Amino acid sequence: MNTLRQEWFSNVRNDLLAGLVVALALIPEAIAFSIIAGVDPKIGLYASFCIATVIAFTGGRPGMISAATGAMALVMVTLVKDHGLQYLLAATLLTGVLQIVAGALRLGALMRFVSRSVITGFVNALAILIFMAQLPELTNVGWQVYAMVAAGLAIIYLFPYITRAVPSPLVTIVVLTAVSLALGLDVRTVGDMGQLPDSLPVFLLPEVPWNLHTLGIIFPFSATLAVVGLLESMMTASIVDELTDTPSNKNREAVGQGVANIASGLLGGMAGCAMIGQSVINVKSGGRGRLSTLAAGVLLLLMVVFAGNWVARIPMAALVAVMIMVSIGTFNWASIRNLRDHPRSSSVVMLATVAVVVATHDLARGVLVGVLLSGFFFAHKVGMVLHVGARSEDEGRVRSYLVIGQVFFASAERFVASFDFKEVIEKVRIDVSRAHFWDITAVSALDKVVVKFRREGTDVEVIGLNQASATMVDRFAVHDKPEAVEQLMGH
């Protein structure tokens, strides 16, 4: 009961006001993301309403805003172009199912393997793709469009110096729409892009053949949407955690995102996830509880349904200005300055993530490359922390080796190469009290060292194994098993 009161009713006034600000800011973004995906604006608006409303109850991060997003919209483009809206709705349902499975399997914990460099690369690539998605609206158009975009950007960045009571993107849309109507400018409007909602969303099932062929079409898109959605949601949750100094439940968030996407698909909306920019706006506006997220979703739908005719008259140039602002605000500009200061491996991971995402337009693929590169660089770095020293004892009859560091697949070769097998000596003592053997590659390397010395007629003693390493060696080592030694040396 205390948790319910804390999450819902501990900050009612600020949550409602912050929800109103977010709802106003969500309108242009939901419309713009719909246009990026190639669907009617009402698809993104319905999705934003459904996802924000449902995630308020099911999410694991109170105060975080989820809705239709640019990252998800970019994944949908090919599916919508080749197969149409109904397949997008079916893919949205499957995305929700996959995310629920991910949450049930507690895959949220995997976020700890995503380094800061990968997150930065992900965010920068997202910003670049959002900007590139605006280019069709800026090519082969009249000068009026350029003038309106420039004016829109000026309002967005200068209006906050006058007041921050009203979001400057909303002021941009209102002013440019008024100017366009007053001057009768011949420019594309939101109404030209498709139908706006004039009623509340209704329950529906996607009109697709429910068979394996359909599954083969939508599964690759759903899998990518699920991964991208969870990645952006987990990253956003981490940012809100830091801003509010409170923890989030990432596995519950994964399940909540899945439930919200299923609700969106059943009510005619596209898939979505947490929004970094809107969540920051909500927190900065005072929103902390689940009520702020619920208010954002409900107020968004009410405003769109009852002001649809006005929304249809918004010039596309105004939305382009808003999305350029989103792109500029999303990009981590400090990362460019840090290229020279940060370790070279971190910069390579960030740049590789950006390059793969921009080249493939696949955020999940870019993050996968970034994570693999991070793991490679980490293994290489830790593998270099290995030292094997040697000294002579008992008047030259015994050679004592001291191993310091981590022995695993990346350092096993250096470990073996550190010993002098050709030295004529009675006994070798290998002290591993300051080393750790992590995997079967390390155990195999120890086998090779022992067997090679014995093959030269040298007695070998291994001392100082810690408990974890001793367990590995007892279980997998073969240097004391004559039947396996021949097989080992044969390889």
Side-chain angles (χ1 to χ4, degrees):
M1 198 63 188
N2 287 335
T3 302
L4 182 68
R5 189 182 300 116
Q6 177 67 29
E7 292 186 347
W8 280 95
F9 305 115
S10 62
N11 188 39
V12 173
R13 179 178 175 277
N14 286 335
D15 280 349
L16 290 175
L17 289 175
L20 175 61
V21 172
V22 172
L24 292 169
L26 270 177
I27 294 176
E29 291 200 1
I31 294 172
F33 293 143
S34 303
I35 292 167
I36 287 176
V39 297
D40 286 347
K42 71 176 183 180
I43 307 300
L45 291 166
Y46 278 160
S48 294
F49 156 70
C50 293
I51 294 171
T53 302
V54 173
I55 204 70
F57 295 93
T58 62
R61 175 61 264 181
M64 187 168 75
I65 304 298
S66 296
T69 65
M72 301 289 266
L74 289 164
V75 177
M76 305 168 187
V77 174
T78 305
L79 177 63
V80 173
K81 187 184 298 180
D82 295 344
H83 300 284
L85 173 63
Q86 295 302 318
Y87 280 82
L88 172 61
L89 300 181
T92 299
L93 294 179
L94 182 57
T95 298
V97 173
L98 294 175
Q99 289 178 329
I100 290 174
V101 171
L105 295 176
R106 298 185 174 277
L107 297 185
L110 294 179
M111 267 303 291
R112 68 179 188 273
F113 295 111
V114 181
S115 68
R116 176 65 66 179
S117 300
V118 176
I119 293 176
T120 303
F122 176 92
V123 170
N124 288 348
L126 174 61
I128 293 171
L129 291 184
I130 290 175
F131 180 80
M132 290 172 64
Q134 310 311 309
L135 295 181
E137 295 294 334
L138 296 172
T139 53
N140 300 320
V141 295
W143 65 269
Q144 300 93 335
V145 172
Y146 298 114
M148 293 187 77
V149 171
L153 288 171
I155 295 172
I156 287 171
Y157 288 107
L158 297 179
F159 188 78
Y161 289 104
I162 301 173
T163 178
R164 293 181 179 272
V166 183
S168 61
L170 182 68
V171 176
T172 299
I173 291 170
V174 171
V175 170
L176 293 187
T177 302
V179 170
S180 176
L181 292 175
L183 300 179
L185 296 179
D186 182 21
V187 294
R188 278 157 57 90
T189 65
V190 171
D192 297 329
M193 307 307 296
Q195 185 182 0
L196 288 172
D198 54 6
S199 62
L200 300 176
V202 296
F203 177 84
L204 58 85
L205 280 175
E207 296 177 357
V208 297
W210 295 91
N211 53 34
L212 289 177
H213 179 67
T214 300
L215 181 63
I217 293 173
I218 66 174
F219 184 81
F221 293 95
S222 296
T224 304
L225 286 169
V227 172
V228 170
L230 289 179
L231 277 172
E232 188 164 356
S233 298
M234 298 303 117
M235 293 179 196
T236 306
S238 298
I239 292 171
V240 177
D241 289 351
E242 292 180 9
L243 288 175
T244 61
D245 198 24
T246 54
S248 59
N249 184 334
K250 292 187 172 56
N251 290 317
R252 178 179 172 180
E253 182 62 33
V255 174
Q257 290 288 335
V259 174
N261 277 322
I262 290 175
S264 178
L266 292 175
L267 292 174
M270 57 201 269
C273 64
M275 307 176 77
I276 295 174
Q278 295 294 340
S279 297
V280 172
I281 290 175
N282 188 46
V283 172
K284 297 286 187 185
S285 302
R288 293 290 187 276
R290 296 181 183 276
L291 191 59
S292 62
T293 310
L294 177 64
V298 173
L299 293 174
L300 164 71
L301 185 69
L302 292 178
M303 284 190 287
V304 169
V305 168
F306 294 106
N309 289 334
W310 289 102
V311 174
R313 300 179 185 182
I314 296 173
M316 284 300 298
L319 296 184
V320 170
V322 172
M323 295 313 299
I324 291 176
M325 178 271 292
V326 171
S327 173
I328 294 173
T330 301
F331 197 92
N332 186 339
W333 296 97
S335 64
I336 296 178
R337 186 173 62 252
N338 292 334
L339 283 176
R340 287 190 299 180
D341 301 331
H342 284 183
R344 188 175 301 176
S345 58
S346 298
S347 299
V348 169
V349 169
M350 191 275 284
L351 292 173
T353 304
V354 172
V356 173
V357 171
V358 173
T360 64
H361 285 218
D362 189 334
L363 290 160
R365 198 173 298 178
V367 170
L368 177 62
V369 169
V371 169
L372 290 176
L373 273 179
S374 297
F376 170 79
F377 285 129
F378 176 76
H380 176 71
K381 195 173 296 183
V382 174
M384 297 300 290
V385 186
L386 178 68
H387 173 74
V388 180
R391 69 173 187 272
S392 179
E393 296 178 350
D394 291 344
E395 298 178 347
R397 293 193 297 274
V398 177
R399 173 68 68 186
S400 182
Y401 289 94
L402 175 62
V403 183
I404 302 173
Q406 311 303 315
V407 187
F408 64 114
F409 64 89
S411 60
E413 191 172 334
R414 289 187 62 219
F415 172 75
V416 175
S418 301
F419 297 91
D420 182 3
F421 302 106
K422 298 300 182 184
E423 183 180 20
V424 180
I425 202 163
E426 294 181 11
K427 182 176 181 179
V428 163
R429 182 179 296 118
I430 305 175
D431 182 355
V432 293
S433 58
R434 297 173 66 183
H436 191 107
F437 290 73
W438 285 101
D439 55 16
I440 58 174
T441 306
V443 176
S444 177
L446 182 62
D447 278 336
K448 284 185 180 178
V449 170
V450 173
V451 171
K452 282 189 174 183
F453 274 124
R454 287 177 178 169
R455 190 175 57 186
E456 300 297 328
T458 306
D459 185 27
V460 181
E461 180 186 16
V462 179
I463 62 173
L465 278 170
N466 60 40
Q467 186 172 358
S469 299
T471 301
M472 288 281 294
V473 171
D474 289 343
R475 187 173 180 186
F476 298 108
V478 300
H479 55 260
D480 288 329
K481 301 173 183 175
E483 69 280 4
V485 170
E486 290 303 321
Q487 182 181 356
L488 172 70
M489 297 313 297
H491 291 78

